[in-house]
Amino acid sequence: MNETERQSLAARSRGPVHVIGAGLLGASVGLGLRERGVEVTLEDQSPTTVALAADYGAGRVRTAEDPQPALVVVATPPDVIADAVERALAAYPESVVTDVASVKLAPYAELLRRGVDLTRYVGSHPMAGRERGGAIMARADLFVGRPWVICRDGDTPAEALALVEAVALDLGGVLTEMTPEEHDRAVGLVSHLPQVVSSLLAARLVPAPEQSLGLAGAGLRDTTRIASSDPALWMQILGANRVPVVEFLDAFASDVTDFADALRDPEQQGARRRIADLLAAGNGGVSRIPGKHGSSERFASIQVLVDDTPGQLARLLTELGELGINMEDLRLEHSPGAQIGFAEIAVLPEVAERAVADLVERGWRTL
Amino acid sequence: MNETERQSLAARSRGPVHVIGAGLLGASVGLGLRERGVEVTLEDQSPTTVALAADYGAGRVRTAEDPQPALVVVATPPDVIADAVERALAAYPESVVTDVASVKLAPYAELLRRGVDLTRYVGSHPMAGRERGGAIMARADLFVGRPWVICRDGDTPAEALALVEAVALDLGGVLTEMTPEEHDRAVGLVSHLPQVVSSLLAARLVPAPEQSLGLAGAGLRDTTRIASSDPALWMQILGANRVPVVEFLDAFASDVTDFADALRDPEQQGARRRIADLLAAGNGGVSRIPGKHGSSERFASIQVLVDDTPGQLARLLTELGELGINMEDLRLEHSPGAQIGFAEIAVLPEVAERAVADLVERGWRTL
């Protein structure tokens, strides 16, 4: 029996899982666990949503005759998490209860304020999502390879923690333990701050002349991609995590103002130094972001000209495979108005030179 | 004779091109024109740099015996453009002079202030660059398919303009005409503002705990990618275009502050509305960015699970080709700590459903 089979068996043997909220995350939890042979029941405020999720194979609608679940997964929208967790703890007095909300402290603090006994509650947050929500977007493998944060309390019994961790592992998550405060600061910085910054940067494009936008390149496209996310969902997330997000926004706004002031009057004492330091700090910040496989090692980049004809990129990647060159990352860059593009391929630094030589020998144009 | 051959012949027949400054852009101009059979001479402050560019095939070092060039291309660093253009106009009294600097108004205004006769000068800016500079990074096809902005003056003679345009077309550029003011505002918005925003966002990661960065996803990586650019080059560019950049930074900083204030006190009059409006404006801004082929049409996105084994992605793209599905864009997303990734493929909306069905039938897992 391999590790996967062992986990799966363990999950099955623990008994049914009940999912409250059959949107993208809830339905994905259901699909993933069903695939592992775990019995899943579902509920949702909306009869249409829960029926759709059940039709999708995410589980069956829970009935009054069903026994107590081993685990309840609360996957409601962020602004009703505390209510849903409190109700679940009361409705299923022998079940462990977890939630998958993207903000952890506010609902936890609210539950404490209400005096709810949280012995059977373990907050969690799988770092997974999609630009569109709903059960219709759900996938069994949504959580595969993604960090899954577990926020345990000092009082959490070992068996409750083990059950939530086993389910997260069954769904393919990579476990990370944090306090609710650590979690919320972390996502405030690496997810919520970039979301707001990207949205506000993109918002500046609204009044711009069409001609200006015609000069847009990959830099603008990359920095504003996530600005196309759902405003309603983000209002809830930001509202629930406003303390750290406001702190990060204030610090960021202060940097922007300092930078603008230094640039406005570059002759003032220390202005040029301040600009240089902030740009260099940007270099330093990027180098701290873990890359592929959780490492922060940097790769060499090779750029190959790819005609915009079907199969060109496939042929390039096939030839890279034949040459024994492992691609660590791939990005396409388009040339507006032209039937041509560049593939930017990240490879280990020690193979970059040979990769370029081999590709050129095979007739590819590298940049 | 096709259009390409006609242009090439036209360029050759106009006489030699002299390139001043043999870095990334100058050497790329030289390489591209040499490939078209145009005679190219080079000069650079640094004997090492010019020798390297000549060895690369970007042209030969200019000597006192060489005749007047038809065109001089000034490709020096941004902060010495005005000096170099003035010297070139004086040294080559029968040549048309252009430059390829990324800021257009400041050097133009400086030349006017000095009373230089600009009849033979046409400013230009090819929207091309790479994260690293230097002749060693130069490529003949650097400008292929990229916008090439021409800033002509009311007094520019038609033949001078035609010569600069012919060379830009020979190098594969897509011509766009703008005034220096329009150009500088446009790049201030679509290139310089995102650069500063990305750098300052990445700078906020410097003091963060390692654990926070472990939760980073594609959103953070995309928004901070350009923050790894060269600070010294950007100091020059931003310094030369500080008026519009400061204006855009002030407006952006004001949005960030407004957003932070609204989030700090969501109960204040209109706070929630302000947050929602700014997030929605972000959606609107993104939709204005032209996509592939200069169009702003939007594509449907399909996501396919790709194991991290050599050849998997190549096989996927090959099969897409076999299925007759044209890929409009491709992005890889990594799962930190896991040997698995997702390929996000943009296709025309009308083929998306069939593409997913066909891929699933062939055993691919789509998300």
mmCIF file with all atom_site columns, all heavy atoms in Angstrom, chain A residues 342, chain B residues 24-26 28-30 32 100 126-129 139-148 168 171-174:
data_model
loop_
_atom_site.group_PDB
_atom_site.id
_atom_site.type_symbol
_atom_site.label_atom_id
_atom_site.label_alt_id
_atom_site.label_comp_id
_atom_site.label_asym_id
_atom_site.label_entity_id
_atom_site.label_seq_id
_atom_site.pdbx_PDB_ins_code
_atom_site.Cartn_x
_atom_site.Cartn_y
_atom_site.Cartn_z
_atom_site.occupancy
_atom_site.B_iso_or_equiv
_atom_site.pdbx_formal_charge
_atom_site.auth_seq_id
_atom_site.auth_comp_id
_atom_site.auth_asym_id
_atom_site.auth_atom_id
_atom_site.pdbx_PDB_model_num
ATOM 1   N N   . PHE A 1 342 ? 7.080  35.670 -28.664 1.00 0.00 ? 342 PHE A N   1
ATOM 2   C CA  . PHE A 1 342 ? 8.296  35.182 -28.058 1.00 0.00 ? 342 PHE A CA  1
ATOM 3   C C   . PHE A 1 342 ? 7.923  34.223 -26.943 1.00 0.00 ? 342 PHE A C   1
ATOM 4   O O   . PHE A 1 342 ? 7.022  34.518 -26.166 1.00 0.00 ? 342 PHE A O   1
ATOM 5   C CB  . PHE A 1 342 ? 9.089  36.323 -27.420 1.00 0.00 ? 342 PHE A CB  1
ATOM 6   C CG  . PHE A 1 342 ? 9.362  37.445 -28.356 1.00 0.00 ? 342 PHE A CG  1
ATOM 7   C CD1 . PHE A 1 342 ? 8.453  38.475 -28.528 1.00 0.00 ? 342 PHE A CD1 1
ATOM 8   C CD2 . PHE A 1 342 ? 10.542 37.461 -29.088 1.00 0.00 ? 342 PHE A CD2 1
ATOM 9   C CE1 . PHE A 1 342 ? 8.702  39.511 -29.411 1.00 0.00 ? 342 PHE A CE1 1
ATOM 10  C CE2 . PHE A 1 342 ? 10.796 38.492 -29.962 1.00 0.00 ? 342 PHE A CE2 1
ATOM 11  C CZ  . PHE A 1 342 ? 9.876  39.520 -30.132 1.00 0.00 ? 342 PHE A CZ  1
ATOM 12  N N   . LEU B 1 24  ? 22.290 47.566 -25.953 1.00 0.00 ? 24  LEU B N   1
ATOM 13  C CA  . LEU B 1 24  ? 21.240 46.654 -26.405 1.00 0.00 ? 24  LEU B CA  1
ATOM 14  C C   . LEU B 1 24  ? 20.504 47.187 -27.636 1.00 0.00 ? 24  LEU B C   1
ATOM 15  O O   . LEU B 1 24  ? 20.387 46.488 -28.653 1.00 0.00 ? 24  LEU B O   1
ATOM 16  C CB  . LEU B 1 24  ? 20.235 46.425 -25.262 1.00 0.00 ? 24  LEU B CB  1
ATOM 17  C CG  . LEU B 1 24  ? 18.939 45.703 -25.633 1.00 0.00 ? 24  LEU B CG  1
ATOM 18  C CD1 . LEU B 1 24  ? 19.209 44.282 -26.071 1.00 0.00 ? 24  LEU B CD1 1
ATOM 19  C CD2 . LEU B 1 24  ? 17.961 45.723 -24.455 1.00 0.00 ? 24  LEU B CD2 1
ATOM 20  N N   . LEU B 1 25  ? 20.020 48.446 -27.551 1.00 0.00 ? 25  LEU B N   1
ATOM 21  C CA  . LEU B 1 25  ? 19.212 48.968 -28.651 1.00 0.00 ? 25  LEU B CA  1
ATOM 22  C C   . LEU B 1 25  ? 20.053 49.269 -29.885 1.00 0.00 ? 25  LEU B C   1
ATOM 23  O O   . LEU B 1 25  ? 19.704 48.883 -31.002 1.00 0.00 ? 25  LEU B O   1
ATOM 24  C CB  . LEU B 1 25  ? 18.442 50.224 -28.215 1.00 0.00 ? 25  LEU B CB  1
ATOM 25  C CG  . LEU B 1 25  ? 17.352 49.997 -27.159 1.00 0.00 ? 25  LEU B CG  1
ATOM 26  C CD1 . LEU B 1 25  ? 16.643 51.308 -26.827 1.00 0.00 ? 25  LEU B CD1 1
ATOM 27  C CD2 . LEU B 1 25  ? 16.327 48.961 -27.615 1.00 0.00 ? 25  LEU B CD2 1
ATOM 28  N N   . GLY B 1 26  ? 21.188 49.954 -29.684 1.00 0.00 ? 26  GLY B N   1
ATOM 29  C CA  . GLY B 1 26  ? 22.038 50.314 -30.828 1.00 0.00 ? 26  GLY B CA  1
ATOM 30  C C   . GLY B 1 26  ? 22.548 49.084 -31.558 1.00 0.00 ? 26  GLY B C   1
ATOM 31  O O   . GLY B 1 26  ? 22.497 49.002 -32.793 1.00 0.00 ? 26  GLY B O   1
ATOM 32  N N   . SER B 1 28  ? 21.225 46.159 -31.535 1.00 0.00 ? 28  SER B N   1
ATOM 33  C CA  . SER B 1 28  ? 20.105 45.457 -32.170 1.00 0.00 ? 28  SER B CA  1
ATOM 34  C C   . SER B 1 28  ? 19.705 46.137 -33.480 1.00 0.00 ? 28  SER B C   1
ATOM 35  O O   . SER B 1 28  ? 19.380 45.459 -34.463 1.00 0.00 ? 28  SER B O   1
ATOM 36  C CB  . SER B 1 28  ? 18.907 45.399 -31.220 1.00 0.00 ? 28  SER B CB  1
ATOM 37  O OG  . SER B 1 28  ? 19.216 44.611 -30.084 1.00 0.00 ? 28  SER B OG  1
ATOM 38  N N   . VAL B 1 29  ? 19.724 47.471 -33.494 1.00 0.00 ? 29  VAL B N   1
ATOM 39  C CA  . VAL B 1 29  ? 19.468 48.198 -34.742 1.00 0.00 ? 29  VAL B CA  1
ATOM 40  C C   . VAL B 1 29  ? 20.496 47.776 -35.793 1.00 0.00 ? 29  VAL B C   1
ATOM 41  O O   . VAL B 1 29  ? 20.159 47.457 -36.941 1.00 0.00 ? 29  VAL B O   1
ATOM 42  C CB  . VAL B 1 29  ? 19.518 49.730 -34.514 1.00 0.00 ? 29  VAL B CB  1
ATOM 43  C CG1 . VAL B 1 29  ? 19.589 50.495 -35.836 1.00 0.00 ? 29  VAL B CG1 1
ATOM 44  C CG2 . VAL B 1 29  ? 18.316 50.201 -33.693 1.00 0.00 ? 29  VAL B CG2 1
ATOM 45  N N   . GLY B 1 30  ? 21.778 47.739 -35.381 1.00 0.00 ? 30  GLY B N   1
ATOM 46  C CA  . GLY B 1 30  ? 22.845 47.357 -36.303 1.00 0.00 ? 30  GLY B CA  1
ATOM 47  C C   . GLY B 1 30  ? 22.665 45.943 -36.841 1.00 0.00 ? 30  GLY B C   1
ATOM 48  O O   . GLY B 1 30  ? 22.723 45.710 -38.052 1.00 0.00 ? 30  GLY B O   1
ATOM 49  N N   . GLY B 1 32  ? 19.938 44.133 -36.992 1.00 0.00 ? 32  GLY B N   1
ATOM 50  C CA  . GLY B 1 32  ? 18.740 44.025 -37.826 1.00 0.00 ? 32  GLY B CA  1
ATOM 51  C C   . GLY B 1 32  ? 18.970 44.596 -39.212 1.00 0.00 ? 32  GLY B C   1
ATOM 52  O O   . GLY B 1 32  ? 18.551 44.010 -40.224 1.00 0.00 ? 32  GLY B O   1
ATOM 53  N N   . VAL B 1 100 ? 16.475 56.697 -30.197 1.00 0.00 ? 100 VAL B N   1
ATOM 54  C CA  . VAL B 1 100 ? 15.557 55.624 -29.799 1.00 0.00 ? 100 VAL B CA  1
ATOM 55  C C   . VAL B 1 100 ? 15.295 55.650 -28.296 1.00 0.00 ? 100 VAL B C   1
ATOM 56  O O   . VAL B 1 100 ? 14.955 54.626 -27.700 1.00 0.00 ? 100 VAL B O   1
ATOM 57  C CB  . VAL B 1 100 ? 16.094 54.236 -30.230 1.00 0.00 ? 100 VAL B CB  1
ATOM 58  C CG1 . VAL B 1 100 ? 16.147 54.126 -31.742 1.00 0.00 ? 100 VAL B CG1 1
ATOM 59  C CG2 . VAL B 1 100 ? 17.474 53.967 -29.625 1.00 0.00 ? 100 VAL B CG2 1
ATOM 60  N N   . PRO B 1 126 ? 11.266 52.862 -30.249 1.00 0.00 ? 126 PRO B N   1
ATOM 61  C CA  . PRO B 1 126 ? 10.759 51.494 -30.400 1.00 0.00 ? 126 PRO B CA  1
ATOM 62  C C   . PRO B 1 126 ? 10.436 50.918 -29.020 1.00 0.00 ? 126 PRO B C   1
ATOM 63  O O   . PRO B 1 126 ? 11.261 51.002 -28.112 1.00 0.00 ? 126 PRO B O   1
ATOM 64  C CB  . PRO B 1 126 ? 11.952 50.753 -31.030 1.00 0.00 ? 126 PRO B CB  1
ATOM 65  C CG  . PRO B 1 126 ? 13.159 51.546 -30.656 1.00 0.00 ? 126 PRO B CG  1
ATOM 66  C CD  . PRO B 1 126 ? 12.727 52.958 -30.367 1.00 0.00 ? 126 PRO B CD  1
ATOM 67  N N   . MET B 1 127 ? 9.225  50.385 -28.848 1.00 0.00 ? 127 MET B N   1
ATOM 68  C CA  . MET B 1 127 ? 8.804  49.839 -27.555 1.00 0.00 ? 127 MET B CA  1
ATOM 69  C C   . MET B 1 127 ? 9.372  48.434 -27.390 1.00 0.00 ? 127 MET B C   1
ATOM 70  O O   . MET B 1 127 ? 8.648  47.443 -27.433 1.00 0.00 ? 127 MET B O   1
ATOM 71  C CB  . MET B 1 127 ? 7.280  49.788 -27.466 1.00 0.00 ? 127 MET B CB  1
ATOM 72  C CG  . MET B 1 127 ? 6.583  51.126 -27.658 1.00 0.00 ? 127 MET B CG  1
ATOM 73  S SD  . MET B 1 127 ? 6.947  52.324 -26.346 1.00 0.00 ? 127 MET B SD  1
ATOM 74  C CE  . MET B 1 127 ? 6.299  51.456 -24.920 1.00 0.00 ? 127 MET B CE  1
ATOM 75  N N   . ALA B 1 128 ? 10.685 48.365 -27.234 1.00 0.00 ? 128 ALA B N   1
ATOM 76  C CA  . ALA B 1 128 ? 11.333 47.061 -27.105 1.00 0.00 ? 128 ALA B CA  1
ATOM 77  C C   . ALA B 1 128 ? 12.417 47.192 -26.071 1.00 0.00 ? 128 ALA B C   1
ATOM 78  O O   . ALA B 1 128 ? 13.005 48.252 -25.890 1.00 0.00 ? 128 ALA B O   1
ATOM 79  C CB  . ALA B 1 128 ? 11.930 46.633 -28.436 1.00 0.00 ? 128 ALA B CB  1
ATOM 80  N N   . GLY B 1 129 ? 12.687 46.136 -25.396 1.00 0.00 ? 129 GLY B N   1
ATOM 81  C CA  . GLY B 1 129 ? 13.734 46.151 -24.389 1.00 0.00 ? 129 GLY B CA  1
ATOM 82  C C   . GLY B 1 129 ? 13.812 44.768 -23.801 1.00 0.00 ? 129 GLY B C   1
ATOM 83  O O   . GLY B 1 129 ? 13.048 43.887 -24.165 1.00 0.00 ? 129 GLY B O   1
ATOM 84  N N   . ARG B 1 139 ? 19.751 41.607 -30.370 1.00 0.00 ? 139 ARG B N   1
ATOM 85  C CA  . ARG B 1 139 ? 19.216 40.655 -31.326 1.00 0.00 ? 139 ARG B CA  1
ATOM 86  C C   . ARG B 1 139 ? 18.671 41.415 -32.525 1.00 0.00 ? 139 ARG B C   1
ATOM 87  O O   . ARG B 1 139 ? 18.051 42.464 -32.374 1.00 0.00 ? 139 ARG B O   1
ATOM 88  C CB  . ARG B 1 139 ? 18.069 39.822 -30.741 1.00 0.00 ? 139 ARG B CB  1
ATOM 89  C CG  . ARG B 1 139 ? 18.387 39.067 -29.484 1.00 0.00 ? 139 ARG B CG  1
ATOM 90  C CD  . ARG B 1 139 ? 19.613 38.205 -29.552 1.00 0.00 ? 139 ARG B CD  1
ATOM 91  N NE  . ARG B 1 139 ? 19.575 37.225 -30.621 1.00 0.00 ? 139 ARG B NE  1
ATOM 92  C CZ  . ARG B 1 139 ? 20.363 36.165 -30.681 1.00 0.00 ? 139 ARG B CZ  1
ATOM 93  N NH1 . ARG B 1 139 ? 21.268 35.969 -29.717 1.00 0.00 ? 139 ARG B NH1 1
ATOM 94  N NH2 . ARG B 1 139 ? 20.297 35.335 -31.681 1.00 0.00 ? 139 ARG B NH2 1
ATOM 95  N N   . ALA B 1 140 ? 18.848 40.839 -33.695 1.00 0.00 ? 140 ALA B N   1
ATOM 96  C CA  . ALA B 1 140 ? 18.374 41.464 -34.930 1.00 0.00 ? 140 ALA B CA  1
ATOM 97  C C   . ALA B 1 140 ? 16.855 41.634 -34.927 1.00 0.00 ? 140 ALA B C   1
ATOM 98  O O   . ALA B 1 140 ? 16.319 42.545 -35.545 1.00 0.00 ? 140 ALA B O   1
ATOM 99  C CB  . ALA B 1 140 ? 18.787 40.610 -36.135 1.00 0.00 ? 140 ALA B CB  1
ATOM 100 N N   . ASP B 1 141 ? 16.150 40.770 -34.204 1.00 0.00 ? 141 ASP B N   1
ATOM 101 C CA  . ASP B 1 141 ? 14.688 40.818 -34.244 1.00 0.00 ? 141 ASP B CA  1
ATOM 102 C C   . ASP B 1 141 ? 14.070 41.433 -32.991 1.00 0.00 ? 141 ASP B C   1
ATOM 103 O O   . ASP B 1 141 ? 12.901 41.211 -32.693 1.00 0.00 ? 141 ASP B O   1
ATOM 104 C CB  . ASP B 1 141 ? 14.122 39.423 -34.498 1.00 0.00 ? 141 ASP B CB  1
ATOM 105 C CG  . ASP B 1 141 ? 14.929 38.358 -33.783 1.00 0.00 ? 141 ASP B CG  1
ATOM 106 O OD1 . ASP B 1 141 ? 15.559 38.696 -32.758 1.00 0.00 ? 141 ASP B OD1 1
ATOM 107 O OD2 . ASP B 1 141 ? 14.942 37.214 -34.255 1.00 0.00 ? 141 ASP B OD2 1
ATOM 108 N N   . LEU B 1 142 ? 14.863 42.240 -32.283 1.00 0.00 ? 142 LEU B N   1
ATOM 109 C CA  . LEU B 1 142 ? 14.355 42.847 -31.045 1.00 0.00 ? 142 LEU B CA  1
ATOM 110 C C   . LEU B 1 142 ? 13.088 43.670 -31.279 1.00 0.00 ? 142 LEU B C   1
ATOM 111 O O   . LEU B 1 142 ? 12.224 43.752 -30.411 1.00 0.00 ? 142 LEU B O   1
ATOM 112 C CB  . LEU B 1 142 ? 15.440 43.745 -30.432 1.00 0.00 ? 142 LEU B CB  1
ATOM 113 C CG  . LEU B 1 142 ? 15.130 44.322 -29.043 1.00 0.00 ? 142 LEU B CG  1
ATOM 114 C CD1 . LEU B 1 142 ? 15.107 43.216 -27.991 1.00 0.00 ? 142 LEU B CD1 1
ATOM 115 C CD2 . LEU B 1 142 ? 16.151 45.383 -28.631 1.00 0.00 ? 142 LEU B CD2 1
ATOM 116 N N   . PHE B 1 143 ? 12.985 44.288 -32.460 1.00 0.00 ? 143 PHE B N   1
ATOM 117 C CA  . PHE B 1 143 ? 11.899 45.247 -32.697 1.00 0.00 ? 143 PHE B CA  1
ATOM 118 C C   . PHE B 1 143 ? 10.717 44.654 -33.458 1.00 0.00 ? 143 PHE B C   1
ATOM 119 O O   . PHE B 1 143 ? 9.736  45.342 -33.719 1.00 0.00 ? 143 PHE B O   1
ATOM 120 C CB  . PHE B 1 143 ? 12.453 46.454 -33.472 1.00 0.00 ? 143 PHE B CB  1
ATOM 121 C CG  . PHE B 1 143 ? 13.696 47.010 -32.852 1.00 0.00 ? 143 PHE B CG  1
ATOM 122 C CD1 . PHE B 1 143 ? 14.954 46.765 -33.397 1.00 0.00 ? 143 PHE B CD1 1
ATOM 123 C CD2 . PHE B 1 143 ? 13.615 47.760 -31.683 1.00 0.00 ? 143 PHE B CD2 1
ATOM 124 C CE1 . PHE B 1 143 ? 16.101 47.260 -32.806 1.00 0.00 ? 143 PHE B CE1 1
ATOM 125 C CE2 . PHE B 1 143 ? 14.765 48.258 -31.083 1.00 0.00 ? 143 PHE B CE2 1
ATOM 126 C CZ  . PHE B 1 143 ? 16.016 48.013 -31.649 1.00 0.00 ? 143 PHE B CZ  1
ATOM 127 N N   . VAL B 1 144 ? 10.855 43.391 -33.820 1.00 0.00 ? 144 VAL B N   1
ATOM 128 C CA  . VAL B 1 144 ? 9.840  42.766 -34.679 1.00 0.00 ? 144 VAL B CA  1
ATOM 129 C C   . VAL B 1 144 ? 8.477  42.755 -33.991 1.00 0.00 ? 144 VAL B C   1
ATOM 130 O O   . VAL B 1 144 ? 8.324  42.223 -32.895 1.00 0.00 ? 144 VAL B O   1
ATOM 131 C CB  . VAL B 1 144 ? 10.260 41.325 -35.058 1.00 0.00 ? 144 VAL B CB  1
ATOM 132 C CG1 . VAL B 1 144 ? 9.134  40.621 -35.810 1.00 0.00 ? 144 VAL B CG1 1
ATOM 133 C CG2 . VAL B 1 144 ? 11.537 41.347 -35.879 1.00 0.00 ? 144 VAL B CG2 1
ATOM 134 N N   . GLY B 1 145 ? 7.502  43.383 -34.646 1.00 0.00 ? 145 GLY B N   1
ATOM 135 C CA  . GLY B 1 145 ? 6.136  43.356 -34.145 1.00 0.00 ? 145 GLY B CA  1
ATOM 136 C C   . GLY B 1 145 ? 5.856  44.318 -33.010 1.00 0.00 ? 145 GLY B C   1
ATOM 137 O O   . GLY B 1 145 ? 4.739  44.373 -32.506 1.00 0.00 ? 145 GLY B O   1
ATOM 138 N N   . ARG B 1 146 ? 6.848  45.085 -32.571 1.00 0.00 ? 146 ARG B N   1
ATOM 139 C CA  . ARG B 1 146 ? 6.641  46.029 -31.467 1.00 0.00 ? 146 ARG B CA  1
ATOM 140 C C   . ARG B 1 146 ? 6.245  47.401 -32.005 1.00 0.00 ? 146 ARG B C   1
ATOM 141 O O   . ARG B 1 146 ? 6.717  47.803 -33.063 1.00 0.00 ? 146 ARG B O   1
ATOM 142 C CB  . ARG B 1 146 ? 7.935  46.185 -30.662 1.00 0.00 ? 146 ARG B CB  1
ATOM 143 C CG  . ARG B 1 146 ? 8.498  44.898 -30.137 1.00 0.00 ? 146 ARG B CG  1
ATOM 144 C CD  . ARG B 1 146 ? 7.566  44.249 -29.125 1.00 0.00 ? 146 ARG B CD  1
ATOM 145 N NE  . ARG B 1 146 ? 8.186  43.062 -28.582 1.00 0.00 ? 146 ARG B NE  1
ATOM 146 C CZ  . ARG B 1 146 ? 8.500  42.920 -27.296 1.00 0.00 ? 146 ARG B CZ  1
ATOM 147 N NH1 . ARG B 1 146 ? 8.236  43.870 -26.436 1.00 0.00 ? 146 ARG B NH1 1
ATOM 148 N NH2 . ARG B 1 146 ? 9.067  41.818 -26.864 1.00 0.00 ? 146 ARG B NH2 1
ATOM 149 N N   . PRO B 1 147 ? 5.440  48.139 -31.223 1.00 0.00 ? 147 PRO B N   1
ATOM 150 C CA  . PRO B 1 147 ? 5.151  49.516 -31.644 1.00 0.00 ? 147 PRO B CA  1
ATOM 151 C C   . PRO B 1 147 ? 6.451  50.316 -31.729 1.00 0.00 ? 147 PRO B C   1
ATOM 152 O O   . PRO B 1 147 ? 7.340  50.158 -30.893 1.00 0.00 ? 147 PRO B O   1
ATOM 153 C CB  . PRO B 1 147 ? 4.273  50.061 -30.509 1.00 0.00 ? 147 PRO B CB  1
ATOM 154 C CG  . PRO B 1 147 ? 3.737  48.868 -29.799 1.00 0.00 ? 147 PRO B CG  1
ATOM 155 C CD  . PRO B 1 147 ? 4.778  47.787 -29.955 1.00 0.00 ? 147 PRO B CD  1
ATOM 156 N N   . TRP B 1 148 ? 6.563  51.140 -32.765 1.00 0.00 ? 148 TRP B N   1
ATOM 157 C CA  . TRP B 1 148 ? 7.716  52.030 -32.904 1.00 0.00 ? 148 TRP B CA  1
ATOM 158 C C   . TRP B 1 148 ? 7.138  53.434 -33.067 1.00 0.00 ? 148 TRP B C   1
ATOM 159 O O   . TRP B 1 148 ? 6.559  53.752 -34.098 1.00 0.00 ? 148 TRP B O   1
ATOM 160 C CB  . TRP B 1 148 ? 8.568  51.621 -34.120 1.00 0.00 ? 148 TRP B CB  1
ATOM 161 C CG  . TRP B 1 148 ? 9.896  52.339 -34.188 1.00 0.00 ? 148 TRP B CG  1
ATOM 162 C CD1 . TRP B 1 148 ? 10.107 53.681 -34.106 1.00 0.00 ? 148 TRP B CD1 1
ATOM 163 C CD2 . TRP B 1 148 ? 11.193 51.742 -34.346 1.00 0.00 ? 148 TRP B CD2 1
ATOM 164 N NE1 . TRP B 1 148 ? 11.452 53.963 -34.193 1.00 0.00 ? 148 TRP B NE1 1
ATOM 165 C CE2 . TRP B 1 148 ? 12.143 52.793 -34.345 1.00 0.00 ? 148 TRP B CE2 1
ATOM 166 C CE3 . TRP B 1 148 ? 11.647 50.432 -34.492 1.00 0.00 ? 148 TRP B CE3 1
ATOM 167 C CZ2 . TRP B 1 148 ? 13.525 52.568 -34.497 1.00 0.00 ? 148 TRP B CZ2 1
ATOM 168 C CZ3 . TRP B 1 148 ? 13.016 50.212 -34.647 1.00 0.00 ? 148 TRP B CZ3 1
ATOM 169 C CH2 . TRP B 1 148 ? 13.938 51.268 -34.639 1.00 0.00 ? 148 TRP B CH2 1
ATOM 170 N N   . ALA B 1 168 ? 12.607 51.937 -39.458 1.00 0.00 ? 168 ALA B N   1
ATOM 171 C CA  . ALA B 1 168 ? 11.794 51.303 -38.409 1.00 0.00 ? 168 ALA B CA  1
ATOM 172 C C   . ALA B 1 168 ? 11.034 50.100 -38.981 1.00 0.00 ? 168 ALA B C   1
ATOM 173 O O   . ALA B 1 168 ? 10.971 49.035 -38.351 1.00 0.00 ? 168 ALA B O   1
ATOM 174 C CB  . ALA B 1 168 ? 10.820 52.321 -37.812 1.00 0.00 ? 168 ALA B CB  1
ATOM 175 N N   . LEU B 1 171 ? 13.192 47.144 -39.603 1.00 0.00 ? 171 LEU B N   1
ATOM 176 C CA  . LEU B 1 171 ? 13.527 46.416 -38.369 1.00 0.00 ? 171 LEU B CA  1
ATOM 177 C C   . LEU B 1 171 ? 12.317 45.681 -37.799 1.00 0.00 ? 171 LEU B C   1
ATOM 178 O O   . LEU B 1 171 ? 12.407 45.058 -36.740 1.00 0.00 ? 171 LEU B O   1
ATOM 179 C CB  . LEU B 1 171 ? 14.108 47.390 -37.339 1.00 0.00 ? 171 LEU B CB  1
ATOM 180 C CG  . LEU B 1 171 ? 15.503 47.921 -37.715 1.00 0.00 ? 171 LEU B CG  1
ATOM 181 C CD1 . LEU B 1 171 ? 15.897 49.100 -36.827 1.00 0.00 ? 171 LEU B CD1 1
ATOM 182 C CD2 . LEU B 1 171 ? 16.548 46.806 -37.597 1.00 0.00 ? 171 LEU B CD2 1
ATOM 183 N N   . GLY B 1 172 ? 11.190 45.762 -38.512 1.00 0.00 ? 172 GLY B N   1
ATOM 184 C CA  . GLY B 1 172 ? 10.009 44.995 -38.099 1.00 0.00 ? 172 GLY B CA  1
ATOM 185 C C   . GLY B 1 172 ? 9.064  45.751 -37.188 1.00 0.00 ? 172 GLY B C   1
ATOM 186 O O   . GLY B 1 172 ? 8.089  45.185 -36.697 1.00 0.00 ? 172 GLY B O   1
ATOM 187 N N   . GLY B 1 173 ? 9.337  47.039 -36.927 1.00 0.00 ? 173 GLY B N   1
ATOM 188 C CA  . GLY B 1 173 ? 8.492  47.823 -36.032 1.00 0.00 ? 173 GLY B CA  1
ATOM 189 C C   . GLY B 1 173 ? 7.129  48.132 -36.634 1.00 0.00 ? 173 GLY B C   1
ATOM 190 O O   . GLY B 1 173 ? 6.948  48.090 -37.853 1.00 0.00 ? 173 GLY B O   1
ATOM 191 N N   . VAL B 1 174 ? 6.164  48.409 -35.760 1.00 0.00 ? 174 VAL B N   1
ATOM 192 C CA  . VAL B 1 174 ? 4.820  48.812 -36.174 1.00 0.00 ? 174 VAL B CA  1
ATOM 193 C C   . VAL B 1 174 ? 4.709  50.305 -35.883 1.00 0.00 ? 174 VAL B C   1
ATOM 194 O O   . VAL B 1 174 ? 4.724  50.725 -34.730 1.00 0.00 ? 174 VAL B O   1
ATOM 195 C CB  . VAL B 1 174 ? 3.750  48.026 -35.379 1.00 0.00 ? 174 VAL B CB  1
ATOM 196 C CG1 . VAL B 1 174 ? 2.349  48.477 -35.763 1.00 0.00 ? 174 VAL B CG1 1
ATOM 197 C CG2 . VAL B 1 174 ? 3.928  46.519 -35.593 1.00 0.00 ? 174 VAL B CG2 1
#
